[in-house]
Amino acid sequence: MTATTELAREIVTQPRTVERVVAGMPTSDGAGVKLTRVLTQSLQRRLDPYLMLDAFGTDDPQDYIGGFPSHPHRGFETITYMIAGRMRHRDSAGHEGLLQNGGVQWMTAGRGVVHSELPEQEDGRMEGFQLWLNLAAKDKMNAPWYRDIQSDTVPEFKTPEGVTVRVIAGASHGIAGAVQRETTQPLYLDLHFEAGSHFSQSLPAAHNAFVYVYRGELRVGDSPLPSQRMAILANGGDGVVLHADAPARALLVAGRPLNEPIVQHGPFVMNTKEEIFQAVQDSQAGRFERA
Ligand code: MN
């Protein structure tokens, strides 16, 4: 926790408005894991460089026990943020880690990994998020990269207005997050609001941004944002101001759009159909294991 006196102020004079509120789609993935796909494929262009946001949260082991057995990825990064529960990660690049309560796993698939994500609990609550962040064409075939960020190493501070901020990526109030990316400049904040608090964050006008409320509700200007809804923020202005009348928790995510073609086939996201065809061939030939 960083002392409040060291914090820089975020000055926002022209706050963004809500362009659209999205409910997400209930679905299942992996071996029958129930989740809500908040950022769906139809929003990839609008929310470039983000490709997907899944929210999962359940007390019923039947909803998560199968986990995500061995599967490949190529061409982007996966960021898993665990609020509650324990998940074991293993991949073909030799990385292994236990993701738990408040921890983050950042995996750059690059030219390819095969990995599994399996629960290490048979009962109790499992809750968290998986966000997919695209890689620029020039970076898609880079070597895989992986980092486990345990909860106590996620930079965290409390604003004078009463909001606890966990900085997963980017920077807020002068505090640098756990991960930085030069090309997509991701900002990924987990915000915990006290009743009657507000939070300001400056944002470059051209960066695409959204807010997902996972506890309580927020107001974005005059627009209410109910629980388990994503607000796509209109571009322009110089930032965003979020208000909470009662305790609430939300993710604020923004990034610099790549403005490149997006072609997705399941766990592969490339720029052309030919590159997708190559990814399928390489995967079937077992070449990802040696990536
Ligand atoms: Mn995966």
Side-chain angles (χ1 to χ4, degrees):
M1 193 71 106
T2 303
T4 308
T5 49
E6 299 168 21
L7 298 175
R9 286 188 63 204
E10 297 277 344
I11 311 286
V12 178
T13 58
Q14 294 172 281
R16 292 191 186 202
T17 55
V18 174
E19 176 178 302
R20 187 176 158 193
V21 174
V22 175
M25 304 247 300
T27 184
S28 75
D29 208 340
V33 178
K34 283 194 185 154
L35 49 83
T36 301
R37 188 143 297 161
V38 179
L39 195 174
T40 54
Q41 208 165 345
S42 60
L43 293 171
Q44 287 176 341
R45 179 53 53 195
R46 175 62 190 89
L47 291 174
D48 180 10
Y50 295 98
L51 299 165
M52 192 188 86
L53 175 67
D54 282 348
F56 49 94
T58 176
D59 298 306
D60 181 356
Q62 291 312 312
D63 291 344
Y64 62 72
I65 204 74
F68 301 87
S70 207
H71 59 278
H73 290 292
R74 174 179 281 180
F76 59 100
E77 307 191 80
T78 68
I79 306 149
T80 312
Y81 181 33
M82 203 70 153
I83 305 291
R86 287 180 300 140
M87 194 89 94
R88 174 74 61 180
H89 165 99
R90 283 191 183 87
D91 74 33
S92 54
H95 306 122
E96 178 173 344
L98 183 64
L99 180 62
Q100 56 190 331
N101 309 332
V104 179
Q105 181 217 81
W106 196 296
M107 186 188 77
T108 306
R111 62 180 173 249
V113 294
V114 176
H115 76 160
S116 61
E117 303 152 289
L118 297 170
E120 281 217 347
Q121 63 190 49
E122 289 172 359
D123 51 37
R125 183 156 184 79
M126 178 78 81
E127 181 178 9
F129 306 96
Q130 189 169 84
L131 180 66
W132 286 12
L133 170 60
N134 209 356
L135 287 168
K138 66 179 177 59
D139 297 325
K140 282 185 179 288
M141 295 302 278
N142 286 355
W145 184 89
Y146 169 92
R147 195 171 145 204
D148 260 323
I149 306 151
Q150 298 301 330
S151 186
D152 58 2
T153 63
V154 176
E156 185 177 313
F157 62 88
K158 190 168 185 176
T159 69
E161 292 81 23
V163 179
T164 299
V165 183
R166 311 194 77 219
V167 191
I168 295 166
S172 180
H173 294 72
I175 306 298
V179 174
Q180 310 296 330
R181 286 286 180 265
E182 204 176 318
T183 307
T184 47
Q185 296 176 34
L187 174 75
Y188 189 174
L189 307 178
D190 180 18
L191 304 170
H192 302 188
F193 294 83
E194 289 177 357
S197 64
H198 68 274
F199 177 80
S200 297
Q201 176 68 43
S202 61
L203 297 170
H207 287 203
N208 293 326
F210 63 90
V211 180
Y212 180 73
V213 181
Y214 66 96
R215 292 271 200 299
E217 53 186 57
L218 293 179
R219 281 183 294 114
V220 188
D222 296 330
S223 306
L225 184 58
S227 207
Q228 277 145 46
R229 294 291 183 276
M230 170 173 72
I232 298 175
L233 301 176
N235 289 69
D238 59 0
V240 63
V241 183
L242 305 170
H243 296 267
D245 298 322
R249 291 174 66 166
L251 308 178
L252 171 60
V253 178
R256 180 168 164 259
L258 291 166
N259 295 313
E260 293 175 352
I262 302 167
V263 185
Q264 176 175 6
H265 177 73
F268 311 125
V269 184
M270 303 300 289
N271 301 109
T272 67
K273 280 182 190 161
E274 291 70 28
E275 290 167 344
I276 289 291
F277 184 68
Q278 187 66 51
V280 172
Q281 278 197 323
D282 289 350
S283 174
Q284 285 171 352
R287 284 192 278 268
F288 279 30
E289 281 84 346
R290 299 183 298 275

